[in-house]
Amino acid sequence: MDQNITFSIYQKVSELPKKWDEVSHSNAFLQIPYLQVLEHSAPTNMECFYIGIFESNELIGVALAQYLNLNKLESFGERDQCLKTYIRNFVFKNFASHVLFLGNNMITGQNGYVFSKPMNYECISEILLNCSDELIGYFRSKNIKIHIVSFKDFYKNSATELKNNAFAPIYEFNTQPNMIFELDSNWHSEADYVSAFTKKYRDQYKRARKKSEGITTRELNLEEIIEYESRIYQLYHYVAKNAPFNTFFLAENHFTTFKKQCGNRFVLIGYFMNNELIGFHSLLLNGEVLETYFLGYDEQIQKEKMLYLNMLYNMTVFGIENRFEKIIFGRTALEIKSSIGAKPIMMSGFIFHTNKLINKYIDKIFPKLEPTLAWQQRHPFK
């Protein structure tokens, strides 16, 4: 690593260097308001570290690391009850319960680091590895053995460049793709979007909208998010614990904290029926990109009213009306997201186990632990 390049790891947002937000201006997930959300309402099994990267003592880059203690998790996901799940859970508890992420495990996308100037990947790969070594040492000093280190979510070009440098010996994996919707700049309204569908998908849209009759939606302000906090959490938690795999659950005050810290850049839409909150979705406005965040719903009403599909349409319409270039939909429910227009973009991660013997066979072990999902991509437009 270049002698002039150094880094410092911080555990408190209040300790961050002055120019932090200047360096991280291109990514809301690395700016101080969002980092304060993590500091005040991270999942109970997560500890966050904020990394400042310096060139001759001038801040030129920032990065995020997260430690997860999976032993503190109530469930890894309850949907798939079978022997494979039992074995996977046993393996995770005993050989993979202390995990260090370089990047953000709570969202999908390349949000792990940003630099204020062009950097070559030789330097980036060395910085990331040196940061992971320092954090492994920090936990060792607290008698915690990190089992797994994962460098999370890189688009193809970045992954290839990292692999050509210091990441060469590290196992590269591809999990489910990130569903991204590049919005047509000619669309200005919901009507423009709907008219672009083929008949089959226009019919799907009409059916979903008809089913949702009786439901009203509105953006909730901070006072309302505080008022509905426990109900919002209940709806979120139902969806989260029925996911095929989990490494964390949000804190109950997470959405309230998010609104307090990020204001108008965080949007939470409530879905009401008979004056009762029966669902919500949330969004983060990240420059030209609209990032979908966590959602929740009442399962019974979800089925009856096609609530999830209606949420996807509503997020898309919000993106169109507010002139975003693209919407990041993340990596769950791939097929239904493709039916509203999102396309799969493959992303890579890198992972190693600190036990040399296990790491030697990581390419055989890892694919067996990752839940596989067969799905069919839909093509809804003319």
Side-chain angles (χ1 to χ4, degrees):
M1 197 161 92
D2 185 325
Q3 297 285 291
N4 293 327
I5 303 281
T6 57
F7 63 86
S8 292
I9 299 177
Y10 308 92
Q11 288 177 269
K12 288 194 169 73
V13 174
S14 59
E15 296 168 354
L16 299 184
K18 279 197 174 65
K19 289 192 169 178
W20 188 280
D21 274 356
E22 219 174 286
V23 172
S24 61
H25 74 92
S26 62
N27 192 322
F29 288 117
L30 287 164
Q31 290 165 11
I32 285 173
Y34 175 75
L35 300 183
Q36 286 176 321
V37 176
L38 292 182
E39 184 168 84
H40 298 300
S41 67
T44 49
N45 66 326
M46 178 184 286
E47 204 175 324
C48 295
F49 298 88
Y50 318 107
I51 302 161
I53 300 151
F54 300 85
E55 183 177 49
S56 306
N57 297 323
E58 184 196 345
L59 187 72
I60 58 158
V62 305
L64 176 67
Q66 295 172 332
Y67 160 70
L68 279 174
N69 180 354
L70 300 186
N71 289 321
K72 288 185 177 177
L73 206 61
E74 59 186 270
S75 133
F76 287 117
E78 295 177 2
R79 200 178 71 186
D80 306 328
Q81 299 291 355
C82 62
L83 184 61
K84 183 178 176 181
T85 306
Y86 174 79
I87 293 166
R88 186 188 72 197
N89 290 355
F90 175 82
V91 169
F92 269 97
K93 284 277 187 195
N94 292 280
F95 303 102
S97 58
H98 297 290
V99 185
L100 178 65
F101 286 96
L102 272 288
N104 192 333
N105 189 44
M106 295 170 68
I107 48 175
T108 305
Q110 198 166 310
N111 298 299
Y113 63 82
V114 69
F115 289 92
S116 59
K117 55 178 276 186
M119 300 288 286
N120 64 52
Y121 279 92
E122 181 184 2
C123 187
I124 293 172
S125 59
E126 286 177 10
I127 291 167
L128 293 175
L129 280 171
N130 287 345
C131 289
S132 71
D133 286 345
E134 182 146 326
L135 286 164
I136 289 167
Y138 164 78
F139 280 103
R140 193 185 302 121
S141 73
K142 296 178 73 175
N143 293 322
I144 294 170
K145 181 177 168 52
I146 295 292
H147 293 128
I148 283 175
V149 177
S150 178
F151 303 87
K152 189 177 179 285
D153 280 359
F154 299 97
Y155 292 111
K156 195 172 190 311
N157 173 54
S158 297
T160 303
E161 292 289 345
L162 289 167
K163 195 72 176 164
N164 287 339
N165 287 284
F167 279 36
I170 305 176
Y171 175 63
E172 181 181 352
F173 64 92
N174 303 104
T175 51
Q176 292 170 17
N178 188 2
M179 298 303 288
I180 297 179
F181 196 165
E182 303 267 357
L183 297 173
D184 188 324
S185 59
N186 296 314
W187 295 340
H188 295 274
S189 66
E190 186 164 6
D192 293 340
Y193 167 56
V194 175
S195 67
F197 282 138
T198 61
K199 183 180 182 307
K200 176 182 173 181
Y201 290 95
R202 205 159 49 246
D203 289 346
Q204 172 184 282
Y205 169 86
K206 286 177 186 166
R207 190 166 66 252
R209 289 313 206 198
K210 187 154 181 57
K211 286 266 192 185
S212 72
E213 284 171 5
I215 291 175
T216 57
T217 63
R218 70 169 192 270
E219 182 179 342
L220 303 189
N221 61 30
L222 176 59
E223 288 69 29
E224 289 172 310
I225 294 172
I226 292 168
E227 181 191 341
Y228 289 109
E229 185 173 86
S230 61
R231 178 61 175 159
I232 289 169
Y233 189 76
Q234 188 184 11
L235 295 166
Y236 150 75
H237 192 260
Y238 171 78
V239 173
K241 76 178 173 49
N242 283 284
F245 187 62
N246 279 311
T247 53
F248 65 86
F249 289 98
L250 296 176
E252 187 161 329
N253 69 340
H254 186 76
F255 299 101
T256 304
T257 308
F258 214 135
K259 189 66 178 173
K260 275 180 187 161
Q261 298 296 344
C262 295
N264 294 336
R265 288 166 71 187
F266 177 69
V267 172
L268 190 143
I269 306 290
Y271 290 69
F272 293 85
M273 200 163 86
N274 304 323
N275 292 324
E276 188 193 346
L277 184 68
I278 48 98
F280 76 92
H281 74 254
S282 57
L283 302 162
L284 183 70
L285 287 49
N286 191 4
E288 304 297 314
V289 179
L290 182 62
E291 309 262 1
T292 65
Y293 202 56
F294 291 95
L295 55 76
Y297 49 67
D298 178 302
E299 173 60 12
Q300 205 48 49
I301 295 165
Q302 192 309 100
K303 283 181 177 156
E304 200 181 300
K305 297 286 191 179
M306 297 174 78
L307 197 54
Y308 183 65
L309 182 55
N310 277 297
M311 286 179 177
L312 295 177
Y313 287 136
N314 291 341
M315 293 182 221
T316 302
V317 172
F318 183 96
I320 292 165
E321 290 178 349
N322 291 281
R323 309 306 295 152
F324 284 93
E325 287 178 7
K326 59 182 173 185
I327 307 175
I328 309 283
F329 276 108
R331 32 167 85 91
T332 54
L334 310 180
E335 195 160 321
I336 193 169
K337 284 172 181 171
S338 76
S339 82
I340 60 115
K343 290 184 176 165
I345 305 294
M346 286 314 295
M347 300 198 79
S348 289
F350 295 87
I351 193 168
F352 69 84
H353 200 288
T354 56
N355 177 307
K356 286 194 169 68
L357 181 63
I358 295 175
N359 195 54
K360 191 177 172 184
Y361 298 103
I362 193 99
D363 59 331
K364 308 280 191 299
I365 297 166
F366 184 82
K368 291 182 166 55
L369 299 176
E370 183 64 28
T372 49
L373 192 70
W375 69 287
Q376 188 182 346
Q377 187 178 347
R378 305 293 178 180
H379 302 277
F381 299 118
K382 293 171 191 164

